Amino acid sequence: MQRTIGNRAVIGLLSKSEEHKTSNAPFVYETRHEAGRSAREQANQSGSISAPQSNPVAHQKKGFVAQRKEDVVSQVHFVGKRQSDLPIQREGFSQYLKSNRLPAIITPPHQEEIINAWILDQNIHDLVELLSGSMEEPDLREMASLSKHGLTTDNVVTYLRGKGAPDEDANTSDQMNFLNAYMQNAPTTLTNLISGSIQAKKGKNASLIKWHGLTSWGAGTGMTVLMRPGGLVKGFGPKGSPVWMKQLEQHVPPGGKTTIYVQGHLLNHNIGGPGLDYNMVPLTGKQSPKTGGNDANGKHENLIEDDAKKTWLEVAKGNYQEAEYQVIPDYSRTTRAGTTQLRSTADKFAQIRLAWIQDRANFVAKQSATDIENVYKQTLKSFGIPIPNPLPPQQQMIYDLANKMASDDLDKPFGTLKATNHPLAVEIAKHIDAGILDASTMNVVDSYTIKDLLYLVTENAKVWEAEDKYVPAQLGVGLSWKDNIGTVHQHPVNTIPVTLPSSPSAVGFRPKKKSEDA
C-alpha cells in the first residue's frame, strides 16, 4: 500500500500561521491549454518556480514525486497509443484451409498457398517489421506451419518482394499500404482456391467469395458471395478479439456484465464465413437496447441473413441456378452529441486537476526556502529515500511537494471532500455533469476518489469516441437469386441500421474498482 504523510502533515510543516492553511476559496480555473503550461511555468515567469530539473533520487520509490500512471496520461489529453489503428490478423486462416481439406489442396509445389495462408494469420505490424528487417527476434505466429513445409520467414519476404513489397529501407507507411492492398486480395484468392478444389471434386461450378478488404483499424469492409451448386467453403466463429473489440466491449448496460457489442460476421459462418478480421464487423447486440441502441446483429439475422442461408440450401438442391449475397458496412457515422459532451466533461475534469496542482504549487512557493528544504527532507525520509547532497534546485522541490499535496487530495473520496466543502469538490460540482458522474459510478459517486472519477469519465469518453469510429452506421445488404427458368428475384431488404446509445447517462464503461483488482 502506498505510504503518504498526508496533506495535513505537509501543510503543518510548511505553515507557521493560520494564513497559510488551505482555504475554501475557489482556485483558478483555466482552459486546458493554459493549465497545461502548469503552475511551475507561470511561477517561473515571476521568478518563484520553474520547470523541474532531473532528480534521480526522487524517483527511487513510488508514492512520492513520481505521479501515478493515470496522472501522467491526463496531462496529454488522454489520447493514448493508437493501437487500434493497426489492422490485426488473428490466427485461424490455416485452420480455415485445413477444415476445407488443406492437405489435399496445399501440397508441394503449392508453396504460394502455404505462404499466403501463413501471412493471413499474422499481425500486420509484425509483417511490417519483417519486411523492414527490424524484427530482432521473431514474434510471428505458427512458425511451425512454415517449417513443416521446409519454409522460413526468408521465403515469405522473398515472396512478398516478388509481389511488389517495398525494399527494406522503405518507410512504414509504404510497407503498410502494400500489406493492406495485398490482404484485400489474398483472402479471396485462397478462398477460391478451395472452391476450385470443390468444383474439381464435384464436377459442378463452386461458389466464389470476394472479400473487400480491411479498414485501417482491422475490421471488414465488405464481402460478396456468388452461391453456386458446386458447394461452399466451411466457416467458423470468431478467433479471439481484435483491438477494436477489446475497446468496444467495455460498454455494458447499467447493472449489466455483458457488453452491448458482438463480433458480427459479414458472411455467416454457416455459409462459408470465417471468424477472421476481414469478415468481422462490430455490431450492437442483445444488450444494446438497454442503453438506447438497437440489436443490429439480431436484425441482420432476422431480416436477411436467415434468408441467405435458406437461399443457399435451395441453390445446393438445384432449385436455383445461383444466388448472390452482399454485405457492406457503412462507416460514415457522424459524431454523436453525447460523445462531444463526454469529451468536454473529461477535458474539464482534467483542467480542474491541473488547476489544483497549480494552486498547491503557488501555495508552496510562498513558503521560506528553509521551510521548503525541511519539508522536502522529511518527506523523503518518510519514504525511506536517501536525502541527496546537494539537494535538488528549489524549483524542483516546490514542484515535487506541490504534486505530493495535490495527489493526497485527489486520492480522497469525492464524498469526503464534498462534506468539508473542499475547493476540489466545489469545482467538480460546478463544472462536471452530475448525471455523467452517477452513470459512470452506477450511482455511488461519493465512494470514488477524485482520480478514479477522472479515470472513469475519461475512459467513457474514449469508448464513445471508439464507437463513433469503429461501429458502422448501417449495413448495406443485398440478396438476389436466379431460378431455373432464368428469372432473377430480389430480396426486399437492403439496409440494416446500427443504432448506438444516445444519452451520456448510459455511458457504460465498467472497470473493476482498484480494490477488486488481483
Side-chain angles (χ1 to χ4, degrees), residues 503-516:
S503 170
S505 63
V507 285
F509 178 74
R510 298 285 181 257
K512 295 179 181 178
K513 291 184 180 179
K514 287 182 171 54
S515 60
E516 297 173 346

PDB file of all heavy atoms in Angstrom, residues 503-516:
ATOM      1  N   SER A 503     -27.724   8.812 -25.062  1.00  0.00           N
ATOM      2  CA  SER A 503     -27.677   9.605 -23.836  1.00  0.00           C
ATOM      3  C   SER A 503     -26.428   9.276 -23.027  1.00  0.00           C
ATOM      4  O   SER A 503     -26.150   8.104 -22.758  1.00  0.00           O
ATOM      5  CB  SER A 503     -28.911   9.328 -22.975  1.00  0.00           C
ATOM      6  OG  SER A 503     -28.768   9.922 -21.693  1.00  0.00           O
ATOM      7  N   PRO A 504     -25.662  10.300 -22.612  1.00  0.00           N
ATOM      8  CA  PRO A 504     -24.484  10.039 -21.772  1.00  0.00           C
ATOM      9  C   PRO A 504     -24.826   9.372 -20.444  1.00  0.00           C
ATOM     10  O   PRO A 504     -23.939   8.899 -19.749  1.00  0.00           O
ATOM     11  CB  PRO A 504     -23.893  11.436 -21.548  1.00  0.00           C
ATOM     12  CG  PRO A 504     -24.381  12.246 -22.688  1.00  0.00           C
ATOM     13  CD  PRO A 504     -25.768  11.724 -22.975  1.00  0.00           C
ATOM     14  N   SER A 505     -26.110   9.344 -20.080  1.00  0.00           N
ATOM     15  CA  SER A 505     -26.487   8.643 -18.848  1.00  0.00           C
ATOM     16  C   SER A 505     -26.308   7.141 -19.002  1.00  0.00           C
ATOM     17  O   SER A 505     -26.393   6.399 -18.027  1.00  0.00           O
ATOM     18  CB  SER A 505     -27.944   8.960 -18.476  1.00  0.00           C
ATOM     19  OG  SER A 505     -28.828   8.484 -19.473  1.00  0.00           O
ATOM     20  N   ALA A 506     -26.038   6.695 -20.240  1.00  0.00           N
ATOM     21  CA  ALA A 506     -25.770   5.273 -20.495  1.00  0.00           C
ATOM     22  C   ALA A 506     -24.315   5.103 -20.922  1.00  0.00           C
ATOM     23  O   ALA A 506     -23.999   4.360 -21.829  1.00  0.00           O
ATOM     24  CB  ALA A 506     -26.694   4.746 -21.588  1.00  0.00           C
ATOM     25  N   VAL A 507     -23.413   5.830 -20.215  1.00  0.00           N
ATOM     26  CA  VAL A 507     -22.016   5.849 -20.637  1.00  0.00           C
ATOM     27  C   VAL A 507     -21.399   4.465 -20.709  1.00  0.00           C
ATOM     28  O   VAL A 507     -20.647   4.151 -21.606  1.00  0.00           O
ATOM     29  CB  VAL A 507     -21.171   6.767 -19.719  1.00  0.00           C
ATOM     30  CG1 VAL A 507     -21.450   8.203 -20.021  1.00  0.00           C
ATOM     31  CG2 VAL A 507     -21.442   6.475 -18.251  1.00  0.00           C
ATOM     32  N   GLY A 508     -21.655   3.615 -19.719  1.00  0.00           N
ATOM     33  CA  GLY A 508     -21.372   2.203 -19.899  1.00  0.00           C
ATOM     34  C   GLY A 508     -20.039   1.654 -19.464  1.00  0.00           C
ATOM     35  O   GLY A 508     -19.953   0.484 -19.145  1.00  0.00           O
ATOM     36  N   PHE A 509     -18.958   2.450 -19.454  1.00  0.00           N
ATOM     37  CA  PHE A 509     -17.654   1.879 -19.129  1.00  0.00           C
ATOM     38  C   PHE A 509     -17.661   1.339 -17.705  1.00  0.00           C
ATOM     39  O   PHE A 509     -17.989   2.047 -16.764  1.00  0.00           O
ATOM     40  CB  PHE A 509     -16.564   2.938 -19.273  1.00  0.00           C
ATOM     41  CG  PHE A 509     -15.187   2.446 -18.918  1.00  0.00           C
ATOM     42  CD1 PHE A 509     -14.503   1.605 -19.771  1.00  0.00           C
ATOM     43  CD2 PHE A 509     -14.594   2.818 -17.729  1.00  0.00           C
ATOM     44  CE1 PHE A 509     -13.236   1.144 -19.445  1.00  0.00           C
ATOM     45  CE2 PHE A 509     -13.335   2.369 -17.401  1.00  0.00           C
ATOM     46  CZ  PHE A 509     -12.648   1.530 -18.263  1.00  0.00           C
ATOM     47  N   ARG A 510     -17.322   0.061 -17.550  1.00  0.00           N
ATOM     48  CA  ARG A 510     -17.436  -0.576 -16.236  1.00  0.00           C
ATOM     49  C   ARG A 510     -16.141  -1.298 -15.852  1.00  0.00           C
ATOM     50  O   ARG A 510     -16.054  -2.518 -15.896  1.00  0.00           O
ATOM     51  CB  ARG A 510     -18.581  -1.594 -16.240  1.00  0.00           C
ATOM     52  CG  ARG A 510     -19.946  -0.968 -16.505  1.00  0.00           C
ATOM     53  CD  ARG A 510     -20.467  -0.218 -15.279  1.00  0.00           C
ATOM     54  NE  ARG A 510     -21.779   0.344 -15.549  1.00  0.00           N
ATOM     55  CZ  ARG A 510     -22.004   1.617 -15.822  1.00  0.00           C
ATOM     56  NH1 ARG A 510     -20.986   2.468 -15.863  1.00  0.00           N
ATOM     57  NH2 ARG A 510     -23.214   2.058 -16.069  1.00  0.00           N
ATOM     58  N   PRO A 511     -15.104  -0.578 -15.440  1.00  0.00           N
ATOM     59  CA  PRO A 511     -13.902  -1.260 -14.970  1.00  0.00           C
ATOM     60  C   PRO A 511     -14.090  -1.753 -13.547  1.00  0.00           C
ATOM     61  O   PRO A 511     -15.022  -1.345 -12.856  1.00  0.00           O
ATOM     62  CB  PRO A 511     -12.848  -0.153 -15.006  1.00  0.00           C
ATOM     63  CG  PRO A 511     -13.642   1.077 -14.669  1.00  0.00           C
ATOM     64  CD  PRO A 511     -15.007   0.875 -15.330  1.00  0.00           C
ATOM     65  N   LYS A 512     -13.204  -2.632 -13.088  1.00  0.00           N
ATOM     66  CA  LYS A 512     -13.224  -3.036 -11.686  1.00  0.00           C
ATOM     67  C   LYS A 512     -12.739  -1.876 -10.830  1.00  0.00           C
ATOM     68  O   LYS A 512     -11.952  -1.049 -11.254  1.00  0.00           O
ATOM     69  CB  LYS A 512     -12.279  -4.221 -11.458  1.00  0.00           C
ATOM     70  CG  LYS A 512     -12.672  -5.498 -12.156  1.00  0.00           C
ATOM     71  CD  LYS A 512     -11.632  -6.565 -11.852  1.00  0.00           C
ATOM     72  CE  LYS A 512     -11.971  -7.864 -12.553  1.00  0.00           C
ATOM     73  NZ  LYS A 512     -10.934  -8.895 -12.297  1.00  0.00           N
ATOM     74  N   LYS A 513     -13.198  -1.835  -9.585  1.00  0.00           N
ATOM     75  CA  LYS A 513     -12.599  -0.903  -8.655  1.00  0.00           C
ATOM     76  C   LYS A 513     -11.193  -1.394  -8.350  1.00  0.00           C
ATOM     77  O   LYS A 513     -10.908  -2.579  -8.401  1.00  0.00           O
ATOM     78  CB  LYS A 513     -13.414  -0.827  -7.360  1.00  0.00           C
ATOM     79  CG  LYS A 513     -14.767  -0.167  -7.512  1.00  0.00           C
ATOM     80  CD  LYS A 513     -15.449  -0.058  -6.164  1.00  0.00           C
ATOM     81  CE  LYS A 513     -16.814   0.609  -6.280  1.00  0.00           C
ATOM     82  NZ  LYS A 513     -17.486   0.691  -4.972  1.00  0.00           N
ATOM     83  N   LYS A 514     -10.315  -0.469  -7.977  1.00  0.00           N
ATOM     84  CA  LYS A 514      -8.936  -0.868  -7.718  1.00  0.00           C
ATOM     85  C   LYS A 514      -8.831  -1.892  -6.605  1.00  0.00           C
ATOM     86  O   LYS A 514      -7.982  -2.759  -6.607  1.00  0.00           O
ATOM     87  CB  LYS A 514      -8.100   0.370  -7.400  1.00  0.00           C
ATOM     88  CG  LYS A 514      -7.828   1.213  -8.639  1.00  0.00           C
ATOM     89  CD  LYS A 514      -6.964   2.400  -8.310  1.00  0.00           C
ATOM     90  CE  LYS A 514      -6.526   3.116  -9.573  1.00  0.00           C
ATOM     91  NZ  LYS A 514      -7.620   3.484 -10.443  1.00  0.00           N
ATOM     92  N   SER A 515      -9.708  -1.813  -5.624  1.00  0.00           N
ATOM     93  CA  SER A 515      -9.660  -2.754  -4.514  1.00  0.00           C
ATOM     94  C   SER A 515     -10.011  -4.164  -4.949  1.00  0.00           C
ATOM     95  O   SER A 515      -9.737  -5.121  -4.249  1.00  0.00           O
ATOM     96  CB  SER A 515     -10.621  -2.307  -3.406  1.00  0.00           C
ATOM     97  OG  SER A 515     -11.943  -2.255  -3.908  1.00  0.00           O
ATOM     98  N   GLU A 516     -10.656  -4.290  -6.137  1.00  0.00           N
ATOM     99  CA  GLU A 516     -11.062  -5.601  -6.633  1.00  0.00           C
ATOM    100  C   GLU A 516     -10.021  -6.215  -7.566  1.00  0.00           C
ATOM    101  O   GLU A 516     -10.130  -7.359  -7.950  1.00  0.00           O
ATOM    102  CB  GLU A 516     -12.393  -5.481  -7.385  1.00  0.00           C
ATOM    103  CG  GLU A 516     -13.535  -5.022  -6.506  1.00  0.00           C
ATOM    104  CD  GLU A 516     -14.798  -4.743  -7.307  1.00  0.00           C
ATOM    105  OE1 GLU A 516     -14.704  -4.651  -8.545  1.00  0.00           O
ATOM    106  OE2 GLU A 516     -15.864  -4.610  -6.690  1.00  0.00           O
TER     107      GLU A 516
END
